Every structure is written in C-alpha cells, then in structure tokens.
Amino acid sequence: MTTTPQDNFLRQAAAAASAAGHIFPDYAACEAALESTWGRSRLAREANNLFGQKQSLESSEKAGVEKAGIEAAATLALPTQEYLNGRWVTVIARWARFADQAACFRARMALLHRLQQSYPAYGRALAATTGELFIEEVSRAWSTDPQRAAKVLAIHRQHCSSFLPLAPALLPAIQAANLAHA
C-alpha cells in the first residue's frame, strides 16, 4: 500500500490531536487538513496554526493561554478569504502562533469550551457521540464556508480508511476529560 503525503499529514495531525486530548482526533486531523491545505499553508508552516485560529486575546487572557502553547505576543498578519454577505471577500487577519501542533489542538479545544455559551453549536459539538456529528456541529460556527462540514467529511471518507484511526475505546476517556475541563 502506498502512503501519500496526505495520509502522512493526517497520521501526524491525528497523533497531535490525540496527545492534546482533542475529541475525535481523526476528524480533527481532517479539519486541520482542510483549514491548512494539508499543513502547507503559510499559517501552518510559520505558526503551527492548523485551524485558522485568529488572535483576539486581551492582555488579561494572555498568561493563561501561554500554558496552552500559544505565543501570546506573537501574531502573524495575513490575508484570508471570508464568506460574507453571500460572497467571498479578502480581509487581513491577525493569526495566533503555536509552539507545536499539539498546542494548536489544545488551544482549539479550550476555545470550543470557552465559547460554547456564545456559540451553542460548539456545545453540541463537544457533546457529540460521533465524529460526523462533531464536524456538522462545529462547522456551523467555526468557518464562514457553508460547505465546510461536507468538505471535511469528504476528506475523512477518502483518506481515513487508509490508516487505522485511533482506538474507539479511547473516546469515552477523552470525552470525559474534555467534559471535566468545561
């Protein structure tokens, strides 16, 4: 069996997601593949930012996020495409930098927990019982792309059958840890 660069990226990202305690690590890796162009985007290469997480921290929050591996003082300003008012537009955004990929996944989970009251879809995603449901729910608020969930699920269907996903038996322990973190 031939291993593709995409499969290698998914294995590495799923391992980082698992190490960070991210729920549904294989699905999170597929999200990272979509958001970072398989780890090749400038944001992924220069900032270990696989999800397009914007830097919007107030100074009082910076000390706490440094523990999650975010380089609080360092950001990267880059253009991005946002789907606004029915069309794609280019805007400049300030992006968070992370020490490594696991720190990116940890910060992502912390963000979902922190914002679940403001974005109920995040709460539903965190309570999801399947990876597909997690992706459907998190995609409702994570991105302005109305086709995001379908794209992530297509990546999962196409690539994740080619490698062993993380043991499903680990899922309850990871979910329990994440709920305790809420």
Side-chain angles (χ1 to χ4, degrees):
M1 177 167 70
T2 304
T3 301
T4 67
Q6 291 86 2
D7 292 335
N8 289 334
F9 174 83
L10 289 172
R11 278 191 199 96
Q12 178 184 3
S18 180
H22 199 293
I23 59 174
F24 305 105
D26 52 330
Y27 285 89
C30 293
E31 288 182 280
L34 176 67
E35 298 283 349
S36 71
T37 315
W38 299 95
R40 295 188 315 258
S41 71
R42 181 174 172 197
L43 189 56
R45 290 188 330 269
E46 294 182 21
N48 287 309
N49 189 329
L50 300 175
F51 290 99
Q53 290 175 256
K54 294 175 182 157
Q55 182 69 289
S56 60
L57 301 172
E58 300 297 324
S59 346
S60 62
E61 295 176 309
K62 287 182 181 177
V65 297
E66 286 173 346
K67 293 177 187 172
I70 300 173
E71 299 174 24
T75 60
L76 185 60
L78 293 172
T80 186
Q81 292 286 304
E82 298 283 352
Y83 192 76
L84 303 171
N85 300 318
R87 64 186 183 94
W88 289 101
V89 296
T90 301
V91 298
I92 301 296
R94 299 195 63 74
W95 306 96
R97 288 184 184 264
F98 299 98
D100 55 31
Q101 287 184 358
C104 177
F105 284 104
R106 263 192 309 282
R108 200 289 180 106
M109 283 302 296
L111 183 70
L112 294 177
H113 282 290
R114 189 171 66 249
L115 294 179
Q116 67 181 318
Q117 297 303 317
S118 300
Y119 297 92
Y122 291 166
R124 292 189 303 271
L126 292 168
T129 56
T130 67
E132 292 87 356
L133 184 57
F134 172 79
I135 294 301
E136 291 289 340
E137 291 298 337
V138 80
S139 294
R140 294 181 197 283
W142 189 263
S143 170
T144 59
D145 182 350
Q147 298 300 313
R148 181 185 189 274
K151 291 174 183 178
V152 171
L153 294 174
I155 291 170
H156 192 272
R157 277 190 302 277
Q158 182 176 357
H159 292 277
C160 288
S161 63
S162 67
F163 69 92
L164 287 176
L166 298 164
L170 296 177
L171 181 58
I174 293 171
Q175 285 180 318
N178 285 321
L179 290 175
H181 200 63

